[in-house]
Amino acid sequence: MSYALTEPFQSGNLKVSDIHTLYYEVSGNKDGAPVVFLHGGPGGGTDPKDRGFFNPEKYKIILFDQRGSGKSKPTASLEENTTWDLVKDIETIRELLKIDKWHVFGGSWGSTLSLAYAQSHPDRVKSLVLRGIFTLRKSELSFFYQDGASHLFPEAWEEFIAPIPEAERHDIVLAYHAQLNSVDDQTRITAAKAWSKWEMSTSRLFVDPAQVAHAEEDDFANAFARIENHYFVNDGFMRDGQLLDKQEIDKIRHIPTVVVQGRYDVICPATTAYALKKVFPELTLHIVPDAGHSSREPGITKLLVEATDKFADL
Ligand SMILES: CNCC(=O)c1nnc(C(C)(C)C)o1
């Protein structure tokens, strides 16, 4: 269902601030339609498999690891790391690669960043392909990190809250912020692995043991957990619901947009994709009846590739 992977013909480490250097890569067709892939988390980093959503004969495929994520350095750094710093970085990469306009593709947090970028630079976006819509509203965070998904995955939830003292469980995100930023190394890594395992254990309709094992790798867990939690305690550095505000959405309603959403996505439930459709009726919304959150769910992968195939010749 996804395309065979091609090796990058260009890659590098781009200094974007006094602190941050970003890993980026370009693969596919040098003269193809440029597309930028915005990974999830935040803090999740890219995977070479992410190139597989795009026909390498038609697209010039740009992947980069956002601040503190993946191969970008310093790993897990929270300084100068906000939604709006990342929007600036996307423009810096676009200018570096001498691209006028490009397709934008993002899932989960990547959909958040895609919306923030498109609303900031609508004239630079040829199309949007979004998966597992996440707009970082308080209600969305509450469902996954306080009282919602916990009812569907009680055993994983029990593991998730285990590091948190009973007296602090009324605000799980805040309690994890203290442990993820502890001066004690063991406290930090134990919390990071528990945070990451909660998400990786609930990402698929049928749990993927490899994904759960990935959650327990030190470097991934540290970056994913610390950066996600940093953004969440700061409400994504946005007003609650900002990305769904009419005046923000009206800036992008002319952009061809496809949304692919898993019916049983417990991390970014379908209610947010539906709310986006209500304010952005021109978009095409697919709700996949047998899928959870992950872009690797077969039904989600299939529709994402169909969307990028459709937009390749725009
Ligand atoms: C609330 N964060 C969900 C998210 O953006 C996400 N879920 N999985 C990922 C990775 C595949 C990048 C690990 O990111």
Side-chain angles (χ1 to χ4, degrees):
M1 265 167 305
S2 50
Y3 285 99
L5 307 185
T6 57
E7 286 307 303
F9 55 78
Q10 180 183 351
S11 64
N13 296 290
L14 177 63
K15 189 165 179 55
V16 292
S17 86
D18 289 345
I19 298 172
H20 292 279
T21 298
L22 304 185
Y23 168 77
Y24 72 92
E25 63 168 57
V26 191
S27 60
N29 179 345
K30 287 185 175 56
D31 302 313
V35 58
V36 63
F37 176 92
L38 302 179
H39 68 66
T46 56
D47 183 304
K49 291 197 288 290
D50 296 327
R51 303 172 201 152
F53 293 112
F54 315 98
N55 182 341
E57 292 177 7
K58 293 241 180 177
Y59 279 103
K60 178 157 75 171
I61 305 159
I62 295 115
L63 270 58
F64 76 95
D65 290 330
Q66 296 158 27
R67 294 188 179 202
S69 310
K71 296 177 188 169
S72 293
K73 302 298 177 195
T75 300
S77 170
L78 306 180
E79 288 180 83
E80 297 177 355
N81 200 340
T82 72
T83 306
W84 311 109
D85 288 314
L86 304 192
V87 166
K88 276 204 300 261
D89 292 345
I90 298 168
E91 278 293 276
T92 301
I93 292 169
R94 182 185 62 75
E95 289 164 359
L96 172 80
L97 298 176
K98 298 182 172 49
I99 292 167
D100 178 46
K101 289 184 81 161
W102 50 2
H103 300 277
V104 177
F105 181 110
S108 198
W109 161 256
S111 74
T112 319
L113 188 53
S114 296
L115 289 169
Y117 173 70
Q119 290 170 9
S120 303
H121 302 282
D123 54 325
R124 299 296 181 187
V125 181
K126 295 180 79 168
S127 73
L128 286 164
V129 177
L130 307 177
R131 182 270 310 174
I133 301 297
F134 181 49
T135 61
L136 247 140
R137 294 175 298 176
K138 292 182 189 299
S139 60
E140 297 168 58
L141 296 174
S142 175
F143 180 85
F144 190 59
Y145 293 106
Q146 196 66 44
D147 184 19
S150 53
H151 297 264
L152 300 169
F153 292 87
E155 51 291 52
W157 179 258
E158 188 175 43
E159 262 194 78
F160 176 52
I161 62 173
I164 307 300
E166 287 274 353
E168 297 176 32
R169 290 182 181 178
H170 60 280
D171 190 338
I172 296 288
V173 172
L174 193 59
Y176 258 98
H177 189 258
Q179 297 206 14
L180 290 167
N181 293 281
S182 166
V183 292
D184 177 66
D185 291 350
Q186 193 52 52
T187 299
R188 277 202 317 275
I189 198 62
T190 299
K193 289 183 177 180
W195 175 283
S196 303
K197 190 173 178 185
W198 166 238
E199 185 151 344
M200 296 303 116
S201 303
T202 54
S203 178
R204 304 276 312 249
L205 212 50
F206 298 96
V207 69
D208 175 0
Q211 205 177 12
V212 176
H214 185 44
E216 305 209 81
E217 293 164 8
D218 285 20
D219 283 351
F220 171 79
N222 188 37
F224 187 65
R226 277 173 49 82
I227 296 172
E228 275 202 332
N229 182 276
H230 163 67
Y231 273 72
F232 300 163
V233 296
N234 286 288
D235 297 322
F237 307 94
M238 296 181 281
R239 297 186 310 280
D240 195 40
Q242 176 175 329
L243 296 177
L244 296 172
D245 282 352
K246 183 177 185 326
Q247 74 270 13
E248 296 302 327
I249 290 290
D250 285 351
K251 296 173 185 173
I252 63 171
R253 286 177 61 181
H254 64 287
I255 299 173
T257 299
V258 169
V259 171
V260 181
Q261 175 71 39
R263 169 67 71 194
Y264 298 103
D265 182 340
V266 300
I267 299 174
C268 302
T271 187
T272 305
Y274 193 66
L276 180 61
K277 171 70 176 175
K278 299 292 270 185
V279 291
F280 186 169
E282 296 82 3
L283 68 77
T284 299
L285 171 60
H286 299 287
I287 297 186
V288 182
D290 57 348
H293 177 70
S294 172
S295 62
R296 314 283 186 227
E297 299 279 49
I300 290 182
T301 302
K302 176 174 182 294
L303 285 165
L304 287 172
V305 170
E306 284 179 10
T308 61
D309 285 346
K310 183 171 86 165
F311 287 155
D313 299 319
L314 276 184

